[in-house]
Amino acid sequence: MNNNAEHRGLYIHIPFCLSKCPYCDFYSVKYDDSTAKAYSEAVKRNIIHYGGSFDTIYFGGGTPILLWREICEILKLVRTSSEPEVTVEANPCCTDRENLSALFKAGVNRISFGIQSLDDSQLGALGRRHSSDDAVNAVKTAAACGFYNISADMMIGSQGQTVQGVTKTADMLSKLPLQHISVYMLKIEENTPFALKKPELPGEDEVCEMYLAVAQKLKDSGFEQYEISNFSRKGFECRHNLKYWNRDEYLGIGPAAHSHYNGTRFFTERNLSRFIESQFQSSIPEDDCGWTEAQEYAMLRLRLSEGLYMKEYGKRGGNINEFIKRLDNIPDFYFNYDNDRVALTAEGFLVSNAVIGLLIGS
């Protein structure tokens, strides 16, 4: 855990979209210009209020690139350490040379595109506003504007998908000027259109096959898996997201944003109007999940391909002998145990919740 004030992350939630995807439960509302401007001013107030310096900044959403002008202004207020990683999430349908160039000049050095698929029928089934051509052109335009650190999201397990189809998308993405690819399994969340009218989805076994096939395709293409859902070329792991798994500190600003800051965990309520109207955002303490420091360390580190280190687990109060004993109840192909280090395999990642529960449960 690194709580050095110069090595904290800043997450800014941009809760605006042109339309809501039927599978998404992230907090967002329909974009309008006046509300976006008022929101930006509230973000600025909170940045000044908290102060501090950050070495990673992440604008998530929602569709952050809709507020590209406001983001350029917000960045002028944020103090950073040397060589910060500054990410903006973007949808291909909202991307053009003007906003990408402006963001790059303002100090953004990492763009993360919500592509999801390069199959137009799949994009339609997911309610996306862009086409596969839009996605490819967005990535190429970002590269032409100077971005070298470009990421893309892809989704597996949606209606009509096949192993062959998702592998083809992974192959096509790997040939674009991307350095990072995130692979997410579609999950039906409560209170979403997909929950109210559930689409016909591939079976669990087929989705697992998709995941393993995509992981292998990306590995063959030079993308190493470093976390359950994330793959990158060497040196392009997302520094900001790694803070979550390494138990580093980060400040979240905006409705529904979570923080681990100054030794405490808190979140801001999912209420855009209240965020805008309040002088400073609410700070609601996170419920105590009852985990010990050792359990939290194990749970987070086992999401990473690097895994956990038994000595570190022990330093945090964990019972090493009991942990090793529990490993005997886990099939060997789900993990690697090399001297001091325990790490899940790709197969283990597929059942990570169950494996982690067996290893650290009371």
Side-chain angles (χ1 to χ4, degrees):
M1 181 168 62
N2 186 348
N3 290 334
N4 187 316
E6 294 296 317
H7 295 280
R8 288 168 166 167
L10 174 63
Y11 174 81
I12 299 176
H13 188 65
I14 306 294
F16 299 98
C17 288
L18 294 178
S19 60
K20 191 88 167 175
C21 295
Y23 56 84
C24 180
D25 74 334
F26 290 144
Y27 181 71
S28 66
V29 301
K30 190 173 177 61
Y31 172 83
D32 80 79
D33 191 60
S34 60
T35 308
K37 285 182 170 56
Y39 179 74
S40 174
E41 292 305 311
V43 169
K44 291 176 185 177
R45 287 198 303 273
N46 278 280
I47 288 173
I48 294 170
H49 170 66
Y50 283 103
S53 179
F54 306 91
D55 71 340
T56 67
I57 306 169
Y58 196 105
F59 291 89
T63 309
I65 202 165
L66 290 172
L67 272 68
W68 62 272
R69 291 183 177 87
E70 289 81 2
I71 287 172
C72 291
E73 292 301 311
I74 288 168
L75 285 173
K76 294 177 182 178
L77 288 177
V78 183
R79 283 201 302 121
T80 61
S81 58
S82 61
E83 299 183 3
E85 175 193 83
V86 185
T87 303
V88 171
E89 290 183 345
N91 283 353
C93 65
C94 307
T95 301
D96 57 36
R97 187 174 291 272
E98 180 187 15
N99 54 31
L100 287 171
S101 293
L103 289 169
F104 185 74
K105 290 175 183 175
V108 177
N109 52 26
R110 187 174 184 274
I111 289 287
S112 180
F113 287 110
I115 289 176
Q116 314 311 351
S117 177
L118 291 177
D119 180 322
D120 286 332
S121 65
Q122 286 300 307
L123 291 170
L126 290 169
R128 305 296 294 179
R129 298 172 67 97
H130 66 272
S131 67
S132 57
D133 284 346
D134 293 335
V136 170
N137 290 334
V139 172
K140 291 181 178 179
T141 300
C145 289
F147 286 98
Y148 186 64
N149 195 349
I150 307 173
S151 179
D153 293 350
M154 68 173 287
M155 186 168 285
I156 62 176
S158 65
Q159 185 174 18
Q161 270 189 335
T162 63
V163 174
Q164 182 181 13
V166 295
T167 307
K168 182 179 179 182
T169 285
D171 183 52
M172 293 170 69
L173 287 174
S174 71
K175 293 173 181 174
L176 292 174
L178 295 169
Q179 286 72 43
H180 188 282
I181 297 174
S182 298
V183 182
Y184 300 108
M185 295 183 188
L186 175 61
K187 182 182 178 184
I188 304 298
E189 303 285 359
E190 292 182 12
N191 303 316
T192 62
F194 272 5
L196 299 174
K197 188 178 180 181
K198 189 173 180 180
E200 229 177 282
L201 302 178
E204 184 178 339
D205 288 346
E206 189 175 7
V207 174
C208 290
E209 191 179 349
M210 290 179 190
Y211 176 86
L212 295 174
V214 167
Q216 186 61 53
K217 172 57 69 176
L218 293 177
K219 182 178 181 180
D220 293 343
S221 302
F223 290 82
E224 288 297 323
Q225 185 170 18
Y226 69 93
E227 192 266 343
I228 289 178
S229 302
N230 290 292
F231 303 75
S232 74
R233 298 196 186 278
K234 188 174 181 180
F236 287 93
E237 299 85 357
C238 179
R239 286 163 47 193
H240 183 84
N241 284 344
L242 281 172
K243 291 185 184 298
Y244 303 143
W245 316 129
N246 287 326
R247 300 177 67 247
D248 293 339
E249 289 207 342
Y250 52 89
L251 171 66
I253 291 179
H258 289 249
S259 300
H260 176 207
Y261 197 67
N262 286 340
T264 61
R265 295 185 184 274
F266 56 90
F267 66 95
T268 301
E269 62 183 323
R270 294 166 66 105
N271 189 313
L272 176 61
S273 298
R274 202 162 294 164
F275 177 83
I276 291 174
E277 293 163 4
S278 300
Q279 183 179 11
F280 305 120
Q281 69 180 12
S282 60
S283 297
I284 304 168
E286 293 272 13
D287 290 336
D288 184 1
C289 64
W291 283 332
T292 65
E293 183 182 350
Q295 286 175 317
E296 184 184 26
Y297 167 78
M299 185 274 293
L300 293 172
R301 291 290 306 189
L302 286 172
R303 287 189 60 98
L304 297 173
S305 296
E306 183 182 2
L308 66 80
Y309 292 88
M310 298 304 297
K311 287 180 183 176
E312 289 298 319
Y313 179 70
K315 285 179 183 177
R316 288 164 170 76
N319 186 324
I320 295 176
N321 291 332
E322 177 64 22
F323 191 96
I324 294 173
K325 183 178 176 181
R326 292 186 179 197
L327 278 177
D328 290 338
N329 298 319
I330 308 294
D332 290 347
F333 58 88
Y334 284 153
F335 69 94
N336 292 312
Y337 182 23
D338 180 19
N339 293 324
D340 185 50
R341 187 172 66 91
V342 177
L344 299 187
T345 61
E347 290 81 6
F349 282 149
L350 282 169
V351 291
S352 59
N353 288 341
V355 170
I356 292 170
L358 287 171
L359 290 173
I360 69 173
S362 56

